[in-house]
């Protein structure tokens, strides 16, 4: 913020040519790693993110286990080569916080009471970052959980909405995230009609927040369809192979 960067072309399109309510191109593949129990890979614009899941497995050391449900552990991490300047591989404060934020957003989706005294480990590895990695990471992590066969209360997809040069926009890229006026990451589960992640950085009016929220719900519903297609592709391929 502070420094002014032009975020719209003369024809009103965004710097990457998109319309205000347009998502970046998205590619999703489920079941990309053979060693993890569940995995998924997502490309959203220039973001490239892998998610992997292990569990439910016995929670060790025992004192971390809960008698009535499974616990979730989540690690969000950006690879040292994920940004234009080498990033330190050590977990930063931001990564530690995002790991907690994503864990809290994923927990309501998992039927944890079916697996007492166990733990599920979720790893989100950002290979290339271009704004909105927490959201794309969550979209992939939900699919990795589904791929591991873990019972879920629906699939959530996530997308950031926000404001740049006075306009409400969907799926902010790195430039819009850094130089726009507001950024609001949202995860939405259409099955429960529920929001499991909502954060906000910057300032928007009440009307703008309402507009952004409705744009986020439309965008995440589109992403939800892509998630279902990716799961269908995964399991129809597996059927053919066996
Ligand atoms: P999100 O990726 O969920 O939007 P932030 O808003 O914190 O999370 O980050 C926005 C973008 O800033 C990231 O997607 C990435 O492109 C860039 N970024 C984050 N951390 C670093 C870092 N340590 N070095 C370089 N770029 C970074």
């Amino acid at each position: 913020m502070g420094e002014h960067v032009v975020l719209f072309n003369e024809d009103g399109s965004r710097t990457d040519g998109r319309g205000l309510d347009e998502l970046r191109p998205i590619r999703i593949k489920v079941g990309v790693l053979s060693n993890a129990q569940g995995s998924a890979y997502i490309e959203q614009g220039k973001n490239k993110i892998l998610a992997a899941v292990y569990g439910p497995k016995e929670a060790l050391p025992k004192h971390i286990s809960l008698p009535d449900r499974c616990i979730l552990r989540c690690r969000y991490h950006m690879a040292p080569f994920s940004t234009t300047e080498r990033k330190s591989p050590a977990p930063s404060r931001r990564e530690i916080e995002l790991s907690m934020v994503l864990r809290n957003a994923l927990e309501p989706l998992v039927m944890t009471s079916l697996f007492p005294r166990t733990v599920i480990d979720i790893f989100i590895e950002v290979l290339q970052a271009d704004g909105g990695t927490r959201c794309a990471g969550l979209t992939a992590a939900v699919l990795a959980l589904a791929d591991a066969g873990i019972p879920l209360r629906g699939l959530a997809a996530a997308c950031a909405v926000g404001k740049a040069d006075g306009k409400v926009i969907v799926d902010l890229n790195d430039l819009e995230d850094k130089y726009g006026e507001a950024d609001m990451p949202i995860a939405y589960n259409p099955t429960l009609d529920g929001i499991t992640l909502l954060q906000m950085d910057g300032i928007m009016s009440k009307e703008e927040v309402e507009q952004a929220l409705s744009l986020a719900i439309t965008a995440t519903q589109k992403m939800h369809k892509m998630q279902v297609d990716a799961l269908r592709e995964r399991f129809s391929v597996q059927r053919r192979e066996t």
Side-chain angles (χ1 to χ4, degrees):
M1 304 229 180
E3 184 186 343
H4 186 74
V5 170
V6 178
L7 294 172
F8 287 93
N9 301 317
E10 273 175 19
D11 64 359
S13 63
R14 291 155 71 178
T15 46
D16 49 15
R18 282 184 292 155
L20 301 180
D21 61 353
E22 205 176 323
L23 284 161
R24 289 174 282 187
I26 296 175
R27 260 190 57 205
I28 304 176
K29 193 154 172 56
V30 179
V32 288
L33 304 170
S34 49
N35 289 351
Q37 269 163 275
S39 60
Y41 172 69
I42 186 166
E43 287 181 6
Q44 185 157 356
K46 291 186 209 154
N47 288 319
K48 294 180 189 228
I49 302 172
L50 262 177
V53 164
Y54 292 87
K57 57 187 179 179
E58 186 183 3
L60 290 171
K62 278 208 163 69
H63 70 84
I64 65 164
S65 76
L66 294 174
D68 58 341
R69 64 195 147 100
C70 164
I71 55 170
L72 257 63
R73 283 190 299 219
C74 181
R75 186 185 85 147
Y76 162 99
H77 180 250
M78 281 174 54
F81 50 82
S82 62
T83 54
T84 46
E85 297 272 323
R86 176 188 177 275
K87 182 207 149 278
S88 160
S92 61
R93 267 185 67 126
R94 171 182 170 275
E95 285 165 302
I96 294 166
E97 183 185 323
L98 280 186
S99 299
M100 182 200 71
V101 163
L102 290 168
R103 196 205 77 85
N104 292 349
L106 290 165
E107 192 173 40
L109 300 171
V110 179
M111 296 192 178
T112 52
S113 59
L114 296 179
F115 308 103
R117 295 190 179 82
T118 64
V119 58
I120 296 174
D121 275 318
I122 304 162
F123 296 96
I124 296 170
E125 199 65 28
V126 180
L127 307 177
Q128 187 165 284
D130 189 41
T133 58
R134 81 194 62 195
C135 290
L138 185 141
T139 304
V142 170
L143 290 173
L145 286 165
D147 186 38
I150 294 167
L152 302 175
R153 298 185 179 88
L155 302 171
C159 173
V161 282
K163 184 176 160 189
D165 282 348
K167 299 186 184 77
V168 175
I169 53 171
V170 165
D171 192 16
L172 283 69
N173 61 31
D174 189 29
L175 208 62
E176 293 167 337
D177 181 312
K178 283 203 178 76
Y179 298 102
E181 291 102 88
D183 170 31
M184 189 163 82
I186 291 176
Y188 177 67
N189 175 356
T191 311
L192 300 179
D193 188 23
I195 287 174
T196 66
L197 166 75
L198 198 155
Q199 295 181 285
M200 187 166 167
D201 183 16
I203 296 172
M204 284 197 278
S205 68
K206 182 170 172 282
E207 289 71 28
E208 285 164 344
V209 169
E210 281 167 2
Q211 192 192 342
L213 200 56
S214 121
L215 286 174
I217 289 175
T218 309
T220 47
Q221 278 168 338
K222 284 184 200 154
M223 297 176 74
H224 178 264
K225 288 201 178 73
M226 298 179 207
Q227 287 178 308
V228 172
D229 287 347
L231 281 172
R232 284 222 173 93
E233 191 190 334
R234 156 76 164 143
F235 290 104
S236 60
V237 168
Q238 206 170 54
R239 261 207 306 277
R240 274 202 297 276
E241 280 172 354
T242 51

